[in-house]
Amino acid sequence: MTDKHSDTTHFGYQTVATKDKAGKVAEVFHSVAAKYDIMNDLMSMGIHRLWKRQTIASSGVRKGHRVLDLAGGTGDLTAKFSELVGDTGQVILGDINDSMLKVGREKLRNLGLVSNIEYVQMNAEALPFPDNSVDVITIAFGLRNVTDKDKALRSMYRILKPGGRLLVLEFSKPTHESLSKLYDFYSFNVLPTMGQLVANDSESYKYLAESIRMHPDQDTLKAMMVEAGFEQVDYQNMTGGIVALHRGFKY
């Protein structure tokens, strides 16, 4: 976590200037954007689709809603939300990285999803929307890359309508030591090798593994959401805690 008054923060296991982190994260995602979907399937053996399906099921999204799919990348959640909100609703695919947005836009247009989707490049720490203007926010595998997570959570809380909800799908801390050891071996040995073979980029996938380890665990993130103003905050561990889905409401 970034100290609010600190000039440095973490980038994976490295310590970098706080002002430089967003640029370094951007370089990673510029590099991996073109192969992002295929690597997601390979890295998770397809299980990421089940994690996202559970997120959608927990979102409460319905016709007419305005949904922000933050750090939405290549648009997996946006595609489903587009169907759920219908012609009277809107889905905003927001990402800080223009390479990811371009891949997402092309993919969704190829699926014929056009009318109710907007694409906006944005920083999670300063969301470009009025107060109380969004029904649901999802951020899947994006919060760990944000420099100031507390500031981002407050920004999300600000733009949610009363009664709205935030869902954070993110890698977390495995609940069993044996699984944790196996996961560490996979993350730091298999993952970078896979990244090199498929995306010709082992360093970006090394960073992704490190960023997961530096992300707050389940209870810490829950406390951060409460601190930002969210109520009825809970989380659901999936795949033994490798991933957790946090949910909080604004009243």
Side-chain angles (χ1 to χ4, degrees):
M1 238 178 303
T2 304
D3 186 321
K4 295 179 181 64
H5 306 292
S6 176
D7 293 328
T8 61
T9 187
H10 57 79
F11 175 71
Y13 289 165
Q14 300 175 46
T15 298
V16 298
T18 300
K19 64 181 176 61
D20 294 339
K21 178 171 178 177
K24 288 183 171 292
V25 171
E27 288 171 15
V28 168
F29 284 93
H30 285 313
S31 175
V32 304
K35 299 284 188 180
Y36 188 77
D37 283 341
I38 190 170
M39 280 298 293
N40 272 354
D41 278 331
L42 288 170
M43 287 188 300
S44 71
M45 292 166 280
I47 299 172
H48 75 100
R49 298 176 184 275
L50 300 178
W51 300 330
K52 290 171 181 172
R53 193 176 300 163
Q54 182 60 34
T55 303
I56 291 159
S58 302
S59 70
V61 168
R62 58 183 186 270
K63 287 197 179 303
H65 268 175
R66 190 174 193 224
V67 179
L68 172 59
D69 181 13
L70 186 55
T74 59
D76 282 351
L77 292 177
T78 293
K80 185 60 179 174
F81 287 142
S82 173
E83 297 173 20
L84 291 173
V85 302
D87 295 337
T88 58
Q90 182 189 37
V91 185
I92 302 146
L93 174 53
D95 204 292
I96 197 170
N97 189 279
D98 63 324
S99 295
M100 295 291 284
L101 275 177
K102 285 173 184 170
V103 172
R105 185 187 295 117
E106 182 178 357
K107 173 175 151 186
L108 294 175
R109 285 181 175 171
N110 287 341
L111 291 171
L113 300 171
V114 178
S115 61
N116 60 1
I117 301 174
E118 185 181 349
Y119 303 87
V120 183
Q121 190 170 357
M122 65 181 73
N123 186 328
E125 295 175 25
L127 295 170
F129 303 103
D131 296 0
N132 309 314
S133 60
V134 175
D135 294 288
V136 176
I137 301 172
T138 57
I139 178 166
F141 307 115
L143 187 61
R144 72 179 188 279
N145 297 308
V146 174
T147 305
D148 189 334
K149 297 172 181 61
D150 293 303
K151 188 176 180 182
L153 288 168
R154 290 195 301 273
S155 185
M156 293 177 218
Y157 183 84
R158 178 187 64 78
I159 71 165
L160 272 176
K161 295 177 182 178
R165 70 182 79 182
L166 166 68
L167 292 108
V168 181
L169 179 65
E170 188 54 90
F171 292 107
S172 203
K173 186 175 181 181
T175 51
H176 299 289
E177 190 176 347
S178 56
L179 178 61
S180 188
K181 287 177 178 175
L182 181 64
Y183 183 47
D184 278 347
F185 177 82
Y186 175 79
S187 298
F188 293 106
N189 294 278
V190 179
L191 200 55
T193 303
M194 199 183 293
Q196 183 62 38
L197 290 171
V198 177
N200 197 30
D201 184 354
S202 61
E203 283 301 307
S204 289
Y205 286 93
K206 179 171 174 281
Y207 158 73
L208 291 174
E210 292 176 356
S211 72
I212 291 166
R213 299 314 184 280
M214 299 300 288
H215 184 67
D217 65 16
Q218 288 91 325
D219 288 320
T220 304
L221 179 54
K222 179 180 177 180
M224 289 167 67
M225 289 175 66
V226 170
E227 179 68 23
F230 289 95
E231 297 183 45
Q232 284 187 263
V233 179
D234 59 14
Y235 64 82
Q236 174 186 357
N237 283 323
M238 294 186 278
T239 317
I242 286 175
V243 163
L245 175 61
H246 283 70
R247 181 174 59 173
F249 295 83
K250 176 178 179 176
Y251 290 115

